[in-house]
Amino acid sequence: MTMIEGHIVPKVPDGVPVWDVDPYDPTILSDPQAYYADLRAKGPFAYIPRYGVLACGRYAETKEVFGDHTRFVSSRGVGLLDFKLEKPWRPPSIVLEVDPPYHAKTRTVLARALSPKAVAQLKEDFRDAAGKLVDELLEKGTFEAVEDMAEVFPVRVFPKAVGLKQVNRRALVDYGAMVFNALGPDNAIRRTALAKAPDIVPWIMEQCARENLETEGFGATIYAAADAGELTEEEAGMLVRSLLSAGVDTTVTGIGSALWCLASFPDQFERLKADPKLARPAFEEALRYTSPVHTFCRTADVDAEVSGVAIARDTKILCVLGAANLDGEYWPEAERFDITRRPTGHLAFGTGIHGCVGQNVARAEVEAVLSAIAEKVGAIDLTGEAVWRPNNAIHALDRMPLRFHPK
Ligand code: OVM
């Protein structure tokens, strides 16, 4: 049995091209569009010998693999490592890295905590926080969009929504980045991120305990499920960990990338100003256009066939969501950022039973931010170069100097 990066390497399926590329090269991670296009041009799948994986980036196959939890499981890890063969860096998530039937139990509790009704109650708080932040940035004039805005907003509203008693911005943002980087190969990016684990993980785990949570909020709803006998106390803590894993760095990235879109396409910002109700569809289009979560894996748990390609059991499949979201065979004028597109079916939140359970929170946060900008900001100038930060699973900005001009 040959193994690379902790998973079994199958033989190359008939008809699938072998592609000597490193999808985790920092250059590609920072600027992935050409790689996305090349991947789609290879066909439904390409075999990447460097990691012994099949990769897909066309919309149809990516959606099929990603959405079929019966053949393509999550319990063997959604990164390169096969949990059946090697021990993951942290105890697996009890919602992300599990399959049915167990998955339904934890998913149900999270869906309840993050329900449209629960999120509706937060909208006013999100709007107030967004208005205040945009006022502060207008006052400043020029600012660092990642550090002064994208990181600030979620850290002001999300820990409060969870009910955390303590907030540590660096720990929260870096923990998210660590969890996503861990999904990649054992490269320098992953090692550097994981080196922070001893400083951060104990703090994160501590915040997940019942006594460190307020009696209202997402965390309290999760612990109420433990009181009702649906979950153990330990499972409740693990679900709070999931909120802290997936709820901060993702929305930081979503805000940063949506801002980058508006700064890069002033005509689209003009449309948003003319109709601030476009804030929500503008965020959806920014998600499609930039795919904050660019790649997640699945593992074939059975022999399978997709688009005529025979996929052997145990194969790791790189689902390149960022490529699927720009597939011109599916999206008319895929390379055009258009806030009126309404890109239903984009894969930025995934699809199927594992589709992002926090997507309504993310939408409410970013809608609040974009609405406040539409109402208060007259023009957005990119005053320097926008630089992307390579991450093994997230396509995110590192820094972007901006100036907001008042209306
Ligand atoms: C988790 C989790 C959920 C979604 C994404 C994620 C890799 C983590 O449950 O820990 O980031």
Side-chain angles (χ1 to χ4, degrees):
M1 177 171 85
T2 314
M3 282 182 43
I4 304 179
E5 299 287 350
H7 63 268
I8 299 171
V9 176
K11 72 171 185 49
V12 186
D14 285 342
V16 169
V18 174
W19 187 19
D20 180 23
V21 67
D22 181 1
Y24 298 99
D25 183 313
T27 317
I28 288 181
L29 292 173
S30 296
D31 185 10
Q33 300 244 11
Y35 153 73
Y36 290 164
D38 290 346
L39 173 60
R40 290 189 305 263
K42 295 277 172 191
F45 292 92
Y47 180 79
I48 301 179
R50 185 179 189 108
Y51 298 116
V53 294
L54 280 185
C56 55
R58 292 185 179 181
Y59 184 85
E61 288 80 18
T62 307
K63 183 166 180 166
E64 179 170 345
V65 172
F66 216 63
D68 184 349
H69 59 272
T70 61
R71 293 183 297 166
F72 306 111
V73 300
S74 290
S75 56
R76 294 169 71 170
V78 299
L80 281 184
L81 201 72
D82 186 345
F83 292 1
K84 207 166 154 177
L85 305 171
E86 290 200 7
K87 200 171 165 271
W89 74 282
R90 61 172 196 165
S93 161
I94 64 170
V95 65
L96 174 76
E97 293 155 334
V98 294
D99 301 319
Y102 178 80
H103 172 262
K105 176 173 100 163
T106 49
R107 170 85 189 195
T108 300
V109 173
L110 282 183
R112 182 187 307 143
L114 308 172
S115 70
K117 198 175 152 197
V119 174
Q121 290 172 349
L122 298 167
K123 282 191 178 160
E124 203 179 296
D125 187 45
F126 289 4
R127 276 176 206 281
D128 290 348
K132 193 166 157 280
L133 178 57
V134 172
D135 286 341
E136 288 167 21
L137 295 169
L138 278 165
E139 189 75 26
K140 267 188 149 171
T142 26
F143 58 94
E144 228 331 299
V146 175
E147 207 176 294
D148 300 337
M149 181 162 201
E151 284 187 357
V152 171
F153 184 77
V155 173
R156 281 189 188 172
V157 301
F158 186 71
K160 196 171 157 208
V162 174
L164 292 191
K165 288 184 182 166
Q166 271 190 55
V167 178
N168 175 336
R169 171 165 142 197
R170 245 348 332 127
L172 287 165
V173 174
D174 288 352
Y175 184 65
M178 183 183 305
V179 167
F180 282 91
N181 270 320
L183 301 177
D186 182 23
N187 57 11
I189 303 170
R190 186 177 192 273
R191 275 185 233 141
T192 304
L194 284 177
K196 294 180 185 164
D199 289 337
I200 293 176
V201 174
W203 183 83
I204 291 284
M205 293 314 291
E206 209 181 301
Q207 310 319 308
C208 297
R210 191 195 283 262
E211 63 269 22
N212 291 322
L213 291 159
E214 305 287 356
T215 52
E216 267 179 67
F218 303 148
T221 310
I222 292 169
Y223 274 99
D227 292 335
E230 274 179 85
L231 299 173
T232 66
E233 191 85 0
E234 195 193 343
E235 287 174 316
M238 284 295 281
L239 288 184
V240 176
R241 191 193 72 169
S242 284
L243 297 183
L244 303 187
S245 303
V248 181
D249 199 37
T250 47
T251 45
V252 167
T253 302
I255 292 169
S257 294
L259 268 173
W260 175 82
C261 289
L262 295 178
S264 305
F265 304 101
D267 59 318
Q268 299 299 308
F269 181 49
E270 288 303 318
R271 296 170 87 180
L272 176 63
K273 275 194 302 174
D275 182 5
K277 284 197 183 56
L278 287 171
R280 222 175 158 85
F283 176 46
E284 296 304 319
E285 175 67 345
L287 284 170
R288 183 196 71 84
Y289 195 73
T290 65
S291 296
V293 175
H294 61 77
T295 307
F296 258 25
C297 298
R298 293 289 188 256
T299 310
D301 208 42
V302 292
D303 290 330
E305 194 186 302
V306 174
S307 298
V309 173
I311 301 174
R313 179 164 56 104
D314 302 327
T315 303
K316 267 285 175 190
I317 307 168
L318 235 61
C319 297
V320 185
L321 307 170
N325 281 338
L326 292 170
D327 183 356
E329 289 291 312
Y330 184 81
W331 307 101
E333 294 189 84
E335 307 282 328
R336 213 162 73 87
F337 177 72
D338 173 1
I339 67 170
T340 63
R341 179 190 294 268
R342 305 200 185 244
T344 326
H346 72 68
L347 299 179
F349 286 131
T351 186
I353 65 164
H354 289 284
C356 179
V357 72
Q359 57 186 278
N360 294 315
V361 187
R363 287 196 180 100
E365 284 188 36
V366 186
E367 183 184 3
V369 170
L370 297 186
S371 303
I373 293 173
E375 281 153 23
K376 294 169 186 274
V377 177
I380 307 173
D381 287 346
L382 196 58
T383 60
E385 200 195 347
V387 178
W388 298 83
R389 180 186 300 171
N391 178 298
N392 290 326
I394 294 200
H395 182 233
L397 285 168
D398 184 53
R399 52 188 195 272
M400 177 170 67
L402 285 188
R403 174 182 282 277
F404 278 174
H405 299 270
K407 257 191 177 164

